[in-house]
Amino acid sequence: MAQIIDGLSIAEEFSEGIAYRVAEIKSRGVAPKLALISVGQNENAEFQISLRKKMAKQTGIDVVDYQFDDSVTSSELEKLIGGLNKDTKIHAILLQTPLSRKLSFRDIVNEINPEKDVDGLTTLNQGRLFLGEPGVIPCTSLGVLHLLRLVHDNISGLHAVVIGRSSAVGKPLAQLLLNANCTVTLLHSYSKDLESICKTADILISAVGKPRFVDESFIKKGATVIDVGITKVIDANGCAELVGDVNFDNVISIAGAITPVLKGVVPMTAAYLMHNTLKLACCY
Ligand code: NAP
């Protein structure tokens, strides 16, 4: 039976250290402040935003929340971001994904000053990660790496397979693992023989967004399985629930270690959002 990786406890312990450092820089007159921008209704995003606000409160980080409906235009968002870039009390800006289809995420995120780009999604920060240069690294990728380093004494040389190649999750995670000397395979919707490739993974990370997509046929015995995906589904009783990419109940008997859906990567992402906000406030 796999070790269940308790991301919630790990995130809470990690955030205690952040809270200590936040208190310390506040005593020197700097109050770290994060601006969250979200567009439209999205149950996954709402859940993540509420968790992020909770973690901000625990760590002493101030949050200002901008929520828009789908009618918001690019120029309205760009004007808001322009103002936040100039506001010296704001240290970090997050543009929540997904945006509504009519908006270009890449164009709008690049309006964020890279020194306030808390999730490392501007072209400059993505390029820095690609080159292994110092910059802001996406929070989910940092959270996943943190969990892997607790499970494994050394991840160098391990075969890490990442399913999903988005700019927000899959690609930066693959790059971070490569920078940490893993042998990395990045899979996507055109990949062939997905299952057999996954079965060679020492570390399997799924960031697809398809409920219970990964089952026991994907898993090498003893592998570490990290589930990044979260999708809202309606169960047989008509109730909404958030489900991961991994069929947890049938993978747990084969994997060596596994993350649960809501208490695995999600709280680690929230904790690293606070970590990155603190980092940006310190350098500011
Ligand atoms: P995304 O932009 O929709 O990317 C999904 C990726 O999955 C794409 O690269 C796509 O391939 C790939 N894919 C789709 N169907 C596939 C298939 N049948 N086989 C192999 N690959 C397939 O999503 P995202 O923003 O990366 O997010 C992924 C999931 O993670 C979502 O459920 C999201 O809610 C969740 N998420 C969780 C956290 C957290 O803190 N836990 C943070 C961020 C995101 P192509 O590129 O070929 O289309």
Side-chain angles (χ1 to χ4, degrees), residues 44 48 52 97 140 163-170 187-191 194 206-210 213 227-231 243 245 261 265-270:
N44 297 0
Q48 296 209 28
R52 287 163 186 184
T97 53
T140 301
I163 321 175
R165 59 171 168 181
S166 71
S167 303
V169 186
L187 301 174
H188 47 77
S189 65
Y190 293 85
S191 297
L194 206 88
S206 185
V208 173
K210 286 197 190 308
F213 175 73
D227 190 356
V228 178
I230 327 168
T231 310
V243 174
D245 285 358
V261 181
V265 177
V266 173
M268 293 305 294
T269 299

Side-chain angles (χ1 to χ4, degrees), residues 14-86:
F14 180 59
S15 65
E16 281 170 21
I18 298 172
Y20 179 83
R21 289 182 56 206
V22 168
E24 197 251 323
I25 71 161
K26 274 185 166 173
S27 71
R28 290 193 272 118
V30 181
K33 193 167 185 179
L34 165 68
L36 295 176
I37 306 171
S38 56
V39 177
Q41 293 285 315
N42 178 312
E43 203 140 323
N44 297 0
E46 278 168 23
F47 169 74
Q48 296 209 28
I49 290 168
S50 71
L51 187 73
R52 287 163 186 184
K53 284 185 180 165
K54 188 174 154 221
M55 200 141 303
K57 204 169 171 190
Q58 277 173 14
T59 52
I61 288 175
D62 296 330
V63 170
V64 52
D65 193 8
Y66 297 92
Q67 294 192 16
F68 296 92
D69 63 33
D70 285 328
S71 65
V72 71
T73 62
S74 301
S75 54
E76 286 168 323
L77 290 173
E78 284 163 12
K79 193 168 166 211
L80 169 68
I81 292 169
L84 295 170
N85 284 340
K86 286 195 198 114

Side-chain angles (χ1 to χ4, degrees), residues 77-187:
L77 290 173
E78 284 163 12
K79 193 168 166 211
L80 169 68
I81 292 169
L84 295 170
N85 284 340
K86 286 195 198 114
D87 184 342
T88 53
K89 290 199 164 65
I90 297 285
H91 303 98
I93 304 170
L94 180 75
L95 182 63
Q96 180 78 42
T97 53
L99 277 188
S100 68
R101 274 174 223 276
K102 64 184 169 76
L103 299 169
S104 161
F105 180 80
R106 193 110 294 279
D107 287 349
I108 297 170
V109 83
N110 272 327
E111 293 294 321
I112 299 175
N113 174 349
E115 307 312 316
K116 295 191 178 191
D117 168 26
V118 72
D119 206 15
L121 295 179
T122 56
T123 301
L124 183 67
N125 278 316
Q126 296 239 312
R128 285 167 169 165
L129 176 61
F130 181 75
L131 294 171
E133 290 178 359
V136 188
I137 297 172
C139 303
T140 301
S141 303
L142 286 172
V144 169
L145 190 68
H146 186 126
L147 296 179
L148 291 175
R149 290 200 192 282
L150 290 177
V151 173
H152 296 267
D153 291 339
N154 185 4
I155 61 169
S156 176
L158 295 185
H159 184 205
V161 174
V162 180
I163 321 175
R165 59 171 168 181
S166 71
S167 303
V169 186
K171 273 188 210 155
L173 188 48
Q175 190 60 52
L176 199 59
L177 292 165
L178 189 61
N179 296 355
N181 298 324
C182 287
T183 301
V184 179
T185 304
L186 187 53
L187 301 174

